[in-house]
Amino acid sequence: MPVITELEPIAQADDCQGLYPIREVARLTGINPVTLRAWERRYGLIEPKRTESGHRLYSVSDIGTIRQVMGWLERGVSVSKVAQLLASNSSVDVPAPASSEYRDWQTRIGSALTDFNEPELERLYGQIFSSYPIDVVFQGIFLPLWQQLLGTRDTFGRTSEWLLLDGFLRGRVQHRLQLQAAVARPCVLVVAMPELCRELELLVAGLLLTRNDRVVRVVAIGQPLEELSLVCQKLEPRAVVLFANHALNTAHQRRLTRLAQTLNCSVSLAGEASDVVQEALANSSIACLGSVSRLINQRLDAELKATPGG
């Protein structure tokens, strides 16, 4: 999942290099000290170090974990389930979100956004794309910054910066998707669960699923699920991947199960919501692909091989 990264320097504890007192962590994250202590004691979500006098000190990794927790809570996941989700994600071999290299890029992108300097943003985008694989470009660098700006829109100027970044990235991702759309290969449809993700998140999911052996078609945000069977009759996709980054309630799960019964192809769920409902959908025909690029592709490959024509 995208991890919110800091856009300002952190004031370190004077006597412990690289560690930060609870008041500073509370200021940076917006989570009060009482809640931070509860997350530690009741749920084991963070394990700060202690001074000889018993004061808590947090590492950059701890701060990253706190922001991951915030991200899950904002998506409707209960705090009691977050520890399991963090543990399952930590077992996946993904780039470290606290990497100073990624933060350096994000700082430079943030400066370009603050100056509303789109040519510089374009230049940085090109440099990053030529330096990293596509999953790192988006899940490691751009989307965490995008999420940070989205979460701080109450700060003057942040909404304008977010809109600039959002529009810029949507244009670039749509262009890359269009480059592969005309080639006749097996088709996979990527469709948003209504109101459970934003357009950029959906487009990036489609791009990360794109491979040489298949075409991915991202259906526009707002597609009625009730009409999806009609779309599939015309396009005859090998698979439909529903995408959601916010938690599915019971009504969503029932709707998804009913939808799968109407489609004559593999139906899967991807995004952060799929990590949450995996157990609830275990006895259904719907595969949960997860939210990490490598796992999504591996699990979708397995689904396609298991279906007729695979």
Side-chain angles (χ1 to χ4, degrees):
M1 125 181 205
V3 179
I4 303 173
T5 55
E6 65 273 7
L7 292 180
E8 57 179 308
I10 302 174
Q12 299 181 2
D14 294 336
D15 55 345
C16 297
Q17 186 174 3
L19 298 175
Y20 314 103
I22 194 168
R23 64 180 181 277
E24 181 67 12
V25 175
R27 183 186 71 81
L28 287 164
T29 63
I31 304 298
N32 65 56
V34 173
T35 300
L36 290 173
R37 295 187 189 102
W39 286 359
E40 174 192 347
R41 291 171 177 167
R42 295 179 60 184
Y43 302 107
L45 296 176
I46 42 178
E47 297 182 8
K49 297 185 179 348
R50 300 285 188 126
T51 65
E52 291 183 0
S53 56
H55 294 295
R56 291 171 173 82
L57 293 174
Y58 298 78
S59 66
V60 170
S61 178
D62 292 329
I63 294 171
T65 299
I66 292 166
R67 284 169 167 158
Q68 288 187 63
V69 174
M70 293 164 62
W72 283 117
L73 296 179
E74 288 168 0
R75 286 165 170 76
V77 179
S78 66
V79 67
S80 60
K81 293 183 178 180
V82 171
Q84 180 181 351
L85 294 170
L86 292 176
S88 64
N89 283 344
S90 67
S91 64
V92 179
D93 183 19
V94 295
S99 165
S100 61
E101 189 174 315
Y102 297 173
R103 291 201 307 273
D104 288 345
W105 283 113
Q106 290 165 346
T107 298
R108 294 167 68 182
I109 297 164
S111 296
L113 293 172
T114 299
D115 294 336
F116 297 96
N117 187 344
E118 191 160 353
E120 175 65 6
L121 188 58
E122 182 74 66
R123 188 184 70 81
L124 291 170
Y125 176 82
Q127 285 186 331
I128 293 168
F129 228 102
S130 65
S131 302
Y132 301 96
I134 194 169
D135 56 335
V136 171
V137 171
F138 289 103
Q139 293 189 319
I141 298 175
F142 277 105
L143 282 182
L145 180 59
W146 177 89
Q147 187 69 44
Q148 162 72 2
L149 293 171
L150 179 62
T152 57
R153 284 178 297 170
D154 290 341
T155 303
F156 183 77
R158 285 284 196 252
T159 296
S160 298
E161 294 174 17
W162 178 82
L163 287 170
L164 173 58
L165 181 61
D166 182 68
F168 175 87
L169 291 176
R170 281 190 288 113
R172 301 314 179 275
V173 176
Q174 285 171 331
H175 175 69
R176 289 183 177 274
L177 286 168
Q178 289 166 358
L179 292 177
Q180 52 90 50
V183 183
R185 284 169 293 182
C187 171
V188 172
L189 292 186
V190 178
V191 185
M193 285 294 292
E195 301 180 355
L196 296 183
C197 71
R198 292 182 178 271
E199 184 181 17
L200 178 62
E201 294 171 315
L202 179 69
L203 291 170
V204 169
L207 186 61
L208 294 178
L209 283 171
T210 299
R211 293 243 302 258
N212 290 332
D213 57 348
R214 62 176 174 244
V215 165
V216 171
R217 294 187 61 164
V218 178
V219 181
I221 286 277
Q223 168 66 45
L225 296 188
E226 295 75 15
E227 298 180 11
L228 199 53
S229 60
L230 174 62
V231 176
C232 289
Q233 287 176 13
K234 304 297 183 181
L235 298 180
E236 299 183 344
R238 289 283 315 284
V240 170
V241 177
L242 282 299
F243 185 83
N245 262 354
H246 293 266
L248 276 65
N249 57 32
T250 303
H252 289 134
Q253 294 173 31
R254 287 198 296 264
R255 190 179 183 189
L256 187 57
T257 302
R258 288 196 300 268
L259 174 67
Q261 295 169 351
T262 69
L263 302 181
N264 190 27
C265 64
S266 166
V267 178
S268 304
L269 179 68
E272 292 167 5
S274 70
D275 294 320
V276 181
V277 296
Q278 188 167 4
E279 183 176 344
L281 296 176
N283 295 322
S284 74
S285 63
I286 301 163
C288 291
L289 304 182
S291 57
V292 178
S293 174
R294 180 175 61 82
L295 282 182
I296 292 175
N297 278 287
Q298 287 178 353
R299 291 168 180 173
L300 181 58
D301 284 342
E303 279 296 301
L304 293 176
K305 289 178 181 177
T307 56

